[in-house]
Structure formats: C-alpha cells, structure tokens
Amino acid sequence: MAGLTYRDAGVDIVAGDQLVERIKPFAKRTMRPEVMAGIGGFGAMMGLPSKYKEPVLVSGTDGVGTKLKLAFATNKHDTIGIDLVAMSVNDILVQGAEPLFFLDYFVCERLDVPVAADVIKGIAYGCELSGCALIGGETAEHPDAFPAGEYDLAGFAVGVVEKSKALNGLSVKPSDVMIGLASSGLHSNGFSLVRKVIEKSGVDLAKIEPSVSATLPLGEALLTPTRIYVKAILSLLETVNVKAMAHITGGGITENAHRMFPENVVGVVDKASWQLPGVFQWLQAQGGIAEAEMLQTYNCGLGFVVVVGIEDAARTIAHLNAQGETAWHLGVIRARVGDEPQTQFLGR
C-alpha cells in the first residue's frame, strides 16, 4: 500500500510552483527601480526613493468582501484583483502617500492554476495602474475550509510620503470646498446587500439589464472594478494645496466624508451636484432601499473626495478632469454647531 502524500490531503505543491512561474511575467511589469528582491524569496526587499528627505511609511490592508461571490457565480476572475489593489492603495493615498509595493494573500480549497493566475494577473494590473510593485505574496490551499471552487483574498499596500506633506485634515476650515471624483460603479462595498437584492428580485446575472449597462451582462457590470485614483491625485498634489482627502468605501458617503475633517467643521454635500448612476438607481428600485440606507452603504457614484481652499477649486477640477477623472464641485465646509453630524446633505 502506497504511503499518503500531501497531495492526497489536498495540497498540491507542484500546482503552486506552476502558479508562481505563470505570474512572474505579470509581476515583472510592475517593478520599480527601488526593488531589491521580489517574488520567489522568503521576503521581498525594497529601498526608499531617494527624493524623500524625511520619508514616512503609510500602510493599508483590505479585501474585496462578498463581491467574490459574484466572481464565483459568473466565473469571471480577471478583474477582482484590481479591486483588491484599489481598496488598499486608495486608502493610503488619502494621507498623500505614493504607493511603493503590494503583497497579496490568496487562499483556496484546492488550487485551480488558471483561475488563480487570472486573479493575480488582475492584481498585477492594479499595481501597474497605481505605480506600485507587486513584490510578493502568499498562495495557500486549505482543504475542506472553503466550498469547492471558492477562494478568499487579502491585500497589503505600503507607501511613502514626505513628513512635511502628510495630510491629516487639520488645516480644513469653513469656506473650503469639497471636490468629488466619480466612482466606476459599486467598487467593493455593499455586496452583501447587492446579493440580497439579486436573490429577492430573481434577476438573471447572464442577461443585460439596460439600466445598469447597455452592453455587459448584469453579473459582469456589477463586477466593474474599483477605480484607482493614485496617478491623478499624486499629480494634483504637485500642483494644488490639497488640505484633506477621503476614500468613499464601507459606510458610504455618510460615514467616510467626515473622516477627513477636524471636529469643529461640517461637510455639506450637495446631492444635486451629480446624478445617481444607473447601477445605484437599479439597486434602490429593486430592493426598495431608502435613500439614507443607500448613502450609508454605497458610494452612490462618488468614489473619492478632495478638500481645497475656495481659491483652488476651479483649478483642482480642471486638473483632475485633464487627468481622465470626472470631477465636480461637491459641496462646502462650514463651522459645526454643537454635536451635529459632520456630514450634511442638501438637494435632490
């Protein structure tokens, strides 16, 4: 009788080695000159860019939540990695940090090399979009810990900012202006409610829902990856005196916009300043979701917020639009009265 092997127990080391070889070309395209040792070693090494006199490291970690369930349902895995990168690099960008490198953790029940390669190819593309290097990660098989064919993801980003230029929001004052940047869709938050809406309405993910997308099946449209704002914002920081920024993620506009303010001010968001994109209108109608719940769960078409002085507002909008973003005058900052909520809404 032959002895048992690790593969018999559900872990295929050969498949893992094959995956590493398949992803090396993708990772190679993300390399920066500061990388000293990348994928393949026990630890990745990277030096700091020489342009920083007092470098401060900024780190972030995140996942993509139950958006993964839609990837499984549609068997589409090539964009979910972009989401993974976006969630972390957009977060550290808020403090003015330039992303330097990214690490991923991919864990599954049994390794399907083509699927895993698609996921990590997306991660590498997200790193290209944000200018950071994919220098390492971990792929793990956990037999019996996941349903067959499913996996989970986590990502870790490290960036750097000049100490004197790190943003903390303390200079925000009444009369300052909030500039909004459009999202690409749902990004990576609120998908447990999305799935509940899908279950309740009985829609077919393989069919086109015109109010969401005129060309993509509903499932693919809902998987539209999170927009990465890094290059546009880093360019803006070299041009305009940005006072604060916010990434609109879990908790929606209601819970995220005010995280960039000091306690003595309020951000007044003009809901009439932009139109609710079709995917959010569809969700709200299908699920009978109240407006307050929408604002507290989803980005509602607003993915990122920048605060500048009123004298810099027009220049900021023009610069961001020239960088390929859709930017607009979102609202204003005013003095806070008592303990009122720090995010207020007007219009629509």
Side-chain angles (χ1 to χ4, degrees):
M1 179 178 177
L4 290 173
T5 67
Y6 208 8
R7 187 172 184 177
D8 294 330
V11 179
D12 191 339
I13 294 175
V14 173
D17 291 340
Q18 291 173 349
L19 177 62
V20 171
E21 291 305 311
R22 288 186 64 164
I23 66 177
K24 279 183 178 180
F26 308 136
K28 186 176 181 180
R29 292 202 297 266
T30 72
M31 289 299 104
R32 295 175 52 118
E34 299 89 359
V35 175
M36 300 165 63
I39 289 178
F42 287 96
M45 299 174 66
M46 186 172 193
L48 292 173
S50 59
K51 65 181 179 180
Y52 293 96
K53 296 178 180 179
E54 289 187 280
V56 174
L57 296 179
V58 183
S59 62
T61 183
D62 212 333
V64 294
T66 60
K67 189 172 187 176
L68 287 172
K69 290 288 188 180
L70 279 181
F72 306 148
T74 58
N75 196 32
K76 181 174 172 58
H77 306 277
D78 58 345
T79 61
I80 204 77
I82 302 173
D83 290 292
L84 185 69
V85 175
M87 295 303 287
S88 288
V89 297
N90 285 342
D91 274 358
I92 66 173
L93 179 64
V94 165
Q95 290 163 284
E98 171 192 3
L100 291 178
F101 63 85
F102 189 83
L103 305 172
D104 69 273
Y105 177 66
F106 178 98
V107 57
C108 57
E109 195 264 342
R110 287 180 186 266
L111 186 59
D112 183 324
V113 173
V115 168
D118 268 355
V119 173
I120 298 174
K121 182 179 179 180
I123 292 172
Y125 183 57
C127 288
E128 286 188 73
L129 291 175
S130 54
C132 67
L134 176 59
I135 59 175
E138 168 71 359
T139 302
E141 289 180 286
H142 290 182
D144 306 321
F146 291 88
E150 295 197 2
Y151 55 84
D152 199 7
L153 293 171
F156 313 85
V158 175
V160 62
V161 62
E162 193 71 63
K163 185 176 181 179
S164 62
K165 296 181 179 180
L167 298 180
N168 56 23
L170 295 180
S171 64
V172 174
K173 61 180 177 60
S175 81
D176 285 342
V177 173
M178 292 187 292
I179 307 300
L181 281 77
S183 68
S184 56
L186 295 169
H187 286 186
S188 299
N189 298 106
F191 274 85
S192 293
L193 180 55
V194 170
R195 292 187 301 111
K196 184 63 69 174
V197 169
I198 291 170
E199 177 187 340
K200 176 184 175 182
S201 62
V203 294
D204 186 345
L205 294 176
K207 292 185 177 180
I208 290 177
E209 172 54 57
S211 62
V212 177
S213 171
T215 58
L216 294 175
L218 178 61
E220 288 192 34
L222 294 175
L223 282 170
T224 299
T226 305
R227 188 160 183 84
I228 292 176
Y229 300 100
V230 171
K231 292 184 177 179
I233 292 296
L234 290 180
S235 174
L236 178 69
L237 291 173
E238 295 178 356
T239 308
V240 173
N241 177 30
V242 174
K243 297 188 175 186
M245 298 187 285
H247 183 203
I248 308 303
T249 57
I253 304 167
T254 304
E255 299 299 325
N256 283 284
H258 70 268
R259 293 172 64 184
M260 59 182 169
F261 305 149
E263 293 186 359
N264 64 334
V265 300
V266 165
V268 182
V269 175
D270 181 3
K271 292 185 293 183
S273 66
W274 83 101
Q275 184 175 2
L276 191 69
V279 64
F280 299 101
Q281 294 183 37
W282 176 82
L283 271 174
Q284 188 170 18
Q286 291 290 325
I289 305 170
E291 183 183 58
E293 184 70 19
M294 291 291 295
L295 291 169
Q296 196 168 17
T297 304
Y298 297 108
N299 66 64
C300 293
L302 172 67
F304 206 84
V305 180
V306 175
V307 176
V308 296
I310 191 170
E311 69 280 2
D312 289 322
R315 188 156 57 110
T316 298
I317 293 171
H319 185 93
L320 289 170
N321 286 335
Q323 294 294 313
E325 301 297 335
T326 300
W328 70 94
H329 188 294
L330 176 69
V332 297
I333 305 296
R334 66 164 173 81
R336 189 182 187 190
V337 179
D339 60 353
E340 65 176 326
Q342 283 195 274
T343 301
Q344 303 280 336
F345 296 97
L346 292 177
R348 201 164 68 199

